[in-house]
Every structure is written in C-alpha cells, then in structure tokens.
Amino acid sequence: MLRRTAATAFGVVMLAAGSLMGAAPTSYAASPASDATRGSGQPDAGLLAKLTHAQATGKFRTAGITWSSSGGCSDRNNSTCTSFDQINSATVDGVITLRGATGCAINLTGGTETGHADGTYSHWNGYKVDFSLSTCLTKYITGTFSSIGGSKWKSASGNVYYKEGDHWDVTYYNCGGCVAGVRQ
C-alpha cells in the first residue's frame, strides 16, 4: 500500500509538472471501475487530489482552456462566480485531455462554486464542470462518445457529458483513463 501511495504521489507530481511545462495532453486508457479504483471500489487518492483555484487555472491556462463567470469572480461560496477551488486533479486533467483530443476551444462556465445540485459526484465535490456550447465540442462528443439517452453521452473511460440546455455539464469520474495518476 505504501509503495502504491508513493507511486501515485510521484505520478501526480510528474503529471502536474508535465502540464505546467506545456506537455501535450495524451490519451488515457483505464475505465473508472478498473485501474482507477485499484479494485477497492473507491477512486485512487491520487486522482482525487484537490487543487486550489490558482493551481487549476494555471493548468487550464497552459492548456489553452478559458473560463468565464457571470459575476466576474472566483469565490466558491458565491453562485454567480466560477471557482475551481477544491476541484479534483482528475477533473482538471480530464478537461485538458478533452481539449487535446478535440482541438476545440473550451470555455468553462461552472466549477466547484455553490448553487449546483448536491450529490457525491457533484460540482461542489470537484467532479463536475460546465462548458459553453460550441459546434466543435458538440460534434466531437456526440460523434465519438456513446449515447446513453436523455441528452447524455459516455466516453470510453466512463465520464459523462450531459447537454443541459445552454451548456455541457460534465462529470469526470477519472481523468480520461489515467492509471493511478500516471499518464499512459
């Protein structure tokens, strides 16, 4: 257990270092119920490492991902803000993976701020983000992922993309198929 934890921590550090140095995102290969949980039924701690707003926006900025807020703010406790405080590292890396796979511009309009629905896999708990709609993203998501009904599509790694009126509401159970925080 100690070795896996140390390897996970090393992988997360290397993953963050690669993202901050502008390394191109790569594809991932595991499903949310396989290697990402290591058979325990619980997500690997390295995938759930919490980031500050500054850490998340630094990674997004490096990857060419933008964000906006109707309130022009980033206070997690204000529903008109867009905050990434306490977002899962896997969620940030999942958005970066999608950006790399699609080549589409991504503008985030929702993160971990209050005002979204409650639940285990919620915005507040760091699993969800909202994207602005774009023709490029919509064509990629609906043409690449499997439709699961109700305006929802599921990626091969198990992440769910829900076209919710004027935006995409995305649940990242993992970072797009990473294994214990280490890119494949």
Side-chain angles (χ1 to χ4, degrees), residues 125-143:
N125 289 335
Y127 288 91
K128 288 184 153 207
V129 290
D130 292 338
F131 301 156
S132 297
L133 290 180
S134 75
T135 302
C136 183
L137 274 177
T138 298
K139 285 174 80 173
Y140 183 87
I141 291 166
T142 60

Side-chain angles (χ1 to χ4, degrees), residues 6 8 12 25 35 37 57 69 77 79 99 101 110 117 122 127 129 133 150 160 181:
T8 299
V12 170
D35 290 336
T37 61
T57 57
S69 164
N77 295 301
S79 64
R99 168 78 167 101
S122 65
Y127 288 91
V129 290
L133 290 180
V160 176

Side-chain angles (χ1 to χ4, degrees), residues 48-54 56-57 60 67-69 73-92 95 108-131 169-170 172:
L48 300 181
K50 299 295 185 178
L51 301 179
T52 65
H53 182 80
T57 57
F60 288 143
W67 57 96
S68 57
S69 164
C73 50
S74 62
D75 180 355
R76 178 172 161 86
N77 295 301
N78 181 336
S79 64
T80 66
C81 297
T82 297
S83 176
F84 304 114
D85 191 36
Q86 297 299 303
I87 195 167
N88 294 334
S89 179
T91 302
V92 171
V95 176
L108 297 162
T109 59
T112 60
E113 66 279 347
T114 191
H116 298 280
D118 292 333
T120 301
Y121 300 105
S122 65
H123 283 269
W124 184 262
N125 289 335
Y127 288 91
K128 288 184 153 207
V129 290
D130 292 338
F131 301 156
D169 178 87
V170 185
Y172 284 101

Side-chain angles (χ1 to χ4, degrees), residues 25-26 28 65 91-106 129 131 137 140-141 144-145 155 161 168 170 172 175-176:
T26 57
Y28 298 105
I65 295 165
T91 302
V92 171
D93 291 334
V95 176
I96 293 168
T97 298
L98 182 69
R99 168 78 167 101
T102 65
C104 299
I106 295 177
V129 290
F131 301 156
L137 274 177
Y140 183 87
I141 291 166
T144 305
F145 302 148
S155 69
Y161 296 75
W168 285 102
V170 185
Y172 284 101
C175 57

